[in-house]
Amino acid sequence: MPGVSSDSGTGALVPLSPESQDAPIYPLHHGLKSPISRLSISWSRGNSLRVSVFAASSADGSVEEETGGEVVEVKLGGGDGEISDARWRRIAYGSVSPFALLQSRKNAASSLSKMSMNSSSYDVDWWGYIMEYSKEISALLGNQKSPSGPVIDDPKSVISKGEETTSLKAAWELLEMFYAEEPSQSWLPERLVDWLADYDNLFSRTHPTVHSKLVDFQKELVNLQVVEDDPKYWEVMSSALAVGWLDIVVKMLRLHGSYQLDQLSHRETENGLVEAVAVLISKMPRLCLEQEAVKLGECFKAKPDFTKAWEKWRAQINKLDSSAFWFQCAHQQTREGLRSMLQVMLGNANSLCAATCHWIELYVSHLLYIRPFTVGLESMYSLAQKCIQLKPITSADRLMRLIIGILGENTEVVLAECSKGFGPWMVSHAIELLTAGSDHADMLLHEECQNLGGISIEELHRLVYAQVLSSHPLTWQIAPIYLTSCMKLGMVLLQILLCKQPVQHNQLLLKIAGVFNWKHGRKGCGVFWLQQARDEFRLNRIAQQLFDSVGKTISDESFKQWEGLIQLLGSESRTAGGLEFLHK
């Protein structure tokens, strides 16, 4: 469990993990000559240290002008090499609004569900809220287009270079796929095909992949005169077909020399076989919600229709495989390459294993061609274990570890992998997805833990993330949003955070205090602090809200509340913003 220490006697809220015992070494690059007389170390912004290096004085007590001293900044670990600090700040600020809106809706929905016995409408609305939240976060992480989409302009360009992908975006889409879209598990296999098409290039950094094979072959394709004579041409097509990248395969088949006008007359049978395979690939049945414009294959929304179409499609492949036209095909590489592709579509396990590079690609190929009707995570997890045995890896990528945790339906493992691989931002925002459709996960993450000081795991991770935000002068302003969602320790830590801010932030601190008190029912305190901050905008909104309720309630209790606000305002109304009507 992240952040949980077996030794509870230390009293630390977020104890260091055992992994931190091996201290990393950070090089210190400076231009001073040896010897160095002394170092001065102080905290800089965020997770950086400012190191002042002073050169030793010369024998006569003087210091050389160009080597007297130098200040360097050392950035400590953490962070993500894929994402710059500036982009991380944009992500941090951009995720505040959807997070706060979801918390507000959660509180409102919780109140309504307690009053209403019919929870079906509430469940439907909540799924919509979760998907809206997830889509906003996903858009914030980048509008990813598949890098394996076809390029029409250049006939010899197999794959296009789309927007640069990140593991953070890939991980978020995985969580959305398996948790936020839980009612749509019947087309999970097809969603995994699309996900791999978008993010297989991420695995290329540490493992061979189908994507890297395509990239390498595209470099060679420019110099090839007769592509069908190259064994790599057929190998790459079988690999792309195995993971369901149909558009790429069909485009590559159309590069075959038999399509050239001067070749058609004496290669008619060969061209017919190539075109027959291309048509079969383009007509492959797909079980999906909607048909994309650039996506090949026939889309079916209902499983019975998909099953019927799949059986018919397989029968056509078997018929072509046993055709006598293969004996009339004189080109050996074409004949063997096409029949190898037919074996992939027929679900030959050995062919699929040979065509794929790592276990996730093999896993997707099994879902496409051997188990197209797979439903439920239990059978998907056993299949994943089988693929890992067939395609073992020496070091698992963080995305691979996350997928294994998701398929194993182990919330604690998923949470730990999110924390270890993607940091506190990911955990703080992904918890909303993990608890969306699972009562077990909801109870696990919201249960108060004595070894955490009586707070829940959810609150622990929010406090950790708020602590990260508070450590940087450019993000501390949004830390209160997350602290106010922590029921146990949030208010105490918020007070500490506000007290430690410099004087120049005084007006902003007063606004934060005013909004916090107003939202938590302490309306008098809220108005007072907003007055001190001279926040005319919020005071006018409060005034309109109060004015609209003047004629609606006239009970003794509400009248006392009015009297209290009037007394708070005092005799002078010039500091009251838009509340001067209360003096009338």
Side-chain angles (χ1 to χ4, degrees), residues 271-328:
N271 179 258
L273 289 171
V274 174
E275 182 63 19
V277 173
V279 170
L280 281 173
I281 292 172
S282 63
K283 296 294 184 181
M284 178 179 176
R286 317 286 291 257
L287 184 62
C288 49
L289 277 171
E290 55 186 12
Q291 180 80 49
E292 297 182 14
V294 297
K295 189 174 182 179
L296 292 183
E298 294 186 355
C299 179
F300 295 91
K301 297 182 180 180
K303 194 170 182 179
D305 296 336
F306 170 72
T307 304
K308 184 178 179 181
W310 178 266
E311 293 174 351
K312 180 180 178 181
W313 181 71
R314 270 290 175 81
Q316 292 173 338
I317 296 174
N318 279 310
K319 183 177 179 180
L320 179 62
D321 187 44
S322 57
S323 170
F325 286 107
W326 296 108
F327 298 102
Q328 303 174 26

Side-chain angles (χ1 to χ4, degrees), residues 280-480:
L280 281 173
I281 292 172
S282 63
K283 296 294 184 181
M284 178 179 176
R286 317 286 291 257
L287 184 62
C288 49
L289 277 171
E290 55 186 12
Q291 180 80 49
E292 297 182 14
V294 297
K295 189 174 182 179
L296 292 183
E298 294 186 355
C299 179
F300 295 91
K301 297 182 180 180
K303 194 170 182 179
D305 296 336
F306 170 72
T307 304
K308 184 178 179 181
W310 178 266
E311 293 174 351
K312 180 180 178 181
W313 181 71
R314 270 290 175 81
Q316 292 173 338
I317 296 174
N318 279 310
K319 183 177 179 180
L320 179 62
D321 187 44
S322 57
S323 170
F325 286 107
W326 296 108
F327 298 102
Q328 303 174 26
C329 180
H331 195 267
Q332 181 181 355
Q333 289 90 340
T334 298
R335 183 175 64 251
E336 293 178 353
L338 290 177
R339 301 202 75 170
S340 177
M341 294 170 69
L342 289 181
Q343 289 303 307
V344 168
M345 291 189 284
L346 288 172
N348 184 298
N350 293 330
S351 298
L352 294 177
C353 192
T356 52
C357 299
H358 56 80
W359 74 263
I360 296 181
E361 292 176 348
L362 180 61
Y363 180 70
V364 167
S365 70
H366 274 250
L367 291 176
L368 277 172
Y369 301 108
I370 297 180
R371 301 188 185 183
F373 312 114
T374 300
V375 176
L377 291 181
E378 184 177 352
S379 57
M380 294 179 75
Y381 180 70
S382 61
L383 175 60
Q385 294 296 326
K386 177 182 177 181
C387 292
I388 292 173
Q389 293 177 357
L390 292 172
K391 291 279 186 181
I393 50 177
T394 54
S395 59
D397 181 90
R398 52 181 171 171
L399 284 172
M400 292 182 177
R401 296 194 302 265
L402 180 60
I403 293 175
I404 294 172
I406 292 173
L407 295 176
E409 299 183 88
N410 193 323
T411 305
E412 294 175 274
V413 172
V414 172
L415 202 64
E417 293 301 338
C418 286
S419 177
K420 181 180 178 181
F422 305 97
W425 176 90
M426 182 65 162
V427 186
S428 301
H429 295 84
I431 282 178
E432 304 298 340
L433 303 184
L434 297 179
T435 57
S438 172
D439 293 334
H440 170 71
D442 187 75
M443 182 174 62
L444 174 70
L445 299 180
H446 292 114
E447 183 182 7
E448 296 180 357
C449 305
Q450 295 304 318
N451 60 336
L452 296 179
I455 64 174
S456 65
I457 295 177
E458 178 188 61
E459 182 166 342
L460 168 67
H461 287 290
R462 286 183 184 173
L463 291 174
V464 171
Y465 180 56
Q467 188 177 20
V468 173
L469 294 173
S470 303
S471 68
H472 201 290
L474 298 179
T475 56
W476 74 264
Q477 296 92 336
I478 59 178

